[in-house]
Amino acid sequence: MAHIAAIGEVMVELAPFPTADSNGREIMALSFAGDTYNTSVYMARLGLTTDYVTQLGEDPYSTQIMQRMAGENIGTGLIKQLPGRSPGLYIIRNTPDGEREFFYWRKEAPARELFSSQEAADQLCQKLVHCNCVYLSGITLAIIGEKSREFLYNSLHKLRQQDVIVAFDSNYRPRLWRDKAEAQQAMLSIMQYTDIALLTLDDEQLLWGDDSVEGCKKRYATYKLSELVLKRGADDAIIITPTEELRVPVPPVQGVIDTTGAGDTFNAGYLAGRLQGKSLVDSAKQGIRCAGIIIRHRGAIIDKAIFDKELGA
C-alpha cells in the first residue's frame, strides 16, 4: 500500500452556531483543522497509508487531536509533543453577506519549530525515507520561518535522492508572510525540490498578479516538475507534464454550501489516485469528485460515513 506523510500544522477551530443561546451569547463548536491535515484525513479515507508530521503540546486539546487522527487511521508516530505548549487556535466568524472571516492565535504554536535545526530536519528525514511521497504546503513554509526553510529544503533534496516524491500546494495566505517578496522567494525555492505541484489560480493571482495558464507554465518552466496541476474552481483542471497538457472538466455541483477545504480535498483525491497507480486524468477526476462532495457540506472535514456514501454513489 502506498505510504504518504504530510507535514504541517493542526489548529483548534472554533466555529459559531447559526443561533445564539437564550441569553444572546454566541455558541461555538470546537473542532480541529489545517490545510495539510485536512488533506491527510481524506487521503487516509481513500486508502493511503498516511502519517502526519507536526509538533503539538501535552495539553488536553493536543491529546484530542492525536485521538482524532488515530480515529481517522492517520499515523501519529512522527508527531512530537512538547511539554507546556498548546496548538494554535482560530475562530471563524460569519459576515452579514454570508462570507467567513478567520481570526488566528498561532504565534506560539509548537508546529512553528518543526525544522528548528538541521539536526532535527535530518532526524525527520531519516524517518521519511520509507515513504513513497511527502506532502506540504505554503502554509508549512510560512509558519516555520526563513532559517528553518533552508533546513527543510536540504531534507527534501535528500529525500528526492532516495526516490521519495515531493508534492506541494502553494496555498498562499498573505497574513502569514512578512511581505509578498518573501513568499515569492520561498515558493520558487521549494519548486526546486518539488515533483508534483498542486496550485490554485486564485493563489497565483494573489501572489504574482497573473492567473493565466500560460503565465504559470512560463513561471515554472525551468523547474523539473513531473506534474503541474492547476486548480481553477468550476473551470477545467489542467495537468501539465514535460510531454503533454491535459484538461479535465469539472461537472457542475448543485447545492454548494461551503467551499472551505475544497482544494485540500482535491489534493487528497489526486495524490491518492497517483500513488495508487491511476492515470493523470482519473486522478484529477477523483480529486474533482472529492471536492464536489465537500462543498455541499459545512466545514473542511465532514463525517466519514457521509463522505464514503457519497463517494460510492
Side-chain angles (χ1 to χ4, degrees), residues 68-141:
R68 187 74 59 89
M69 287 189 191
E72 291 284 358
N73 293 316
I74 297 171
T76 59
L78 299 178
I79 296 176
K80 187 175 181 180
Q81 292 185 265
L82 306 182
R85 305 292 292 277
S86 57
L89 164 73
Y90 72 97
I91 296 177
I92 302 170
R93 290 192 61 86
N94 296 320
T95 61
D97 61 1
E99 293 297 320
R100 308 205 312 167
E101 294 180 301
F102 298 85
F103 298 87
Y104 293 89
W105 291 262
R106 73 196 312 175
K107 289 185 178 179
E108 302 302 322
R112 300 177 74 94
E113 300 162 21
L114 259 174
F115 297 91
S116 56
S117 68
Q118 189 62 63
E119 181 182 7
D122 288 342
Q123 289 175 354
L124 178 57
C125 180
Q126 291 172 9
K127 298 175 182 177
L128 293 175
V129 293
H130 304 295
C131 296
N132 302 104
C133 179
V134 295
Y135 168 70
L136 68 161
S137 77
I139 292 178
T140 313
L141 296 185

Side-chain angles (χ1 to χ4, degrees), residues 139-209:
I139 292 178
T140 313
L141 296 185
I143 65 171
I144 64 175
E146 184 175 2
K147 186 174 181 180
S148 294
R149 286 195 289 271
E150 293 300 323
F151 301 144
L152 169 63
Y153 300 152
N154 291 337
S155 294
L156 295 179
H157 175 67
K158 294 174 184 176
L159 288 171
R160 291 181 85 202
Q161 289 181 322
Q162 298 295 318
D163 296 322
V164 177
I165 298 166
V166 176
F168 174 73
D169 181 345
S170 58
N171 215 356
Y172 175 53
R173 298 294 179 266
R175 73 178 67 191
L176 295 179
W177 297 90
R178 184 172 60 243
D179 52 40
K180 188 176 291 187
E182 181 193 25
Q184 290 175 337
Q185 180 180 355
M187 300 295 186
L188 292 180
S189 293
I190 198 168
M191 286 296 176
Q192 299 176 58
Y193 312 103
T194 297
D195 299 291
I196 302 175
L198 300 143
L199 309 181
T200 302
L201 286 195
D202 286 347
D203 287 344
E204 291 296 292
Q205 174 65 38
L206 274 175
L207 184 57
W208 302 101

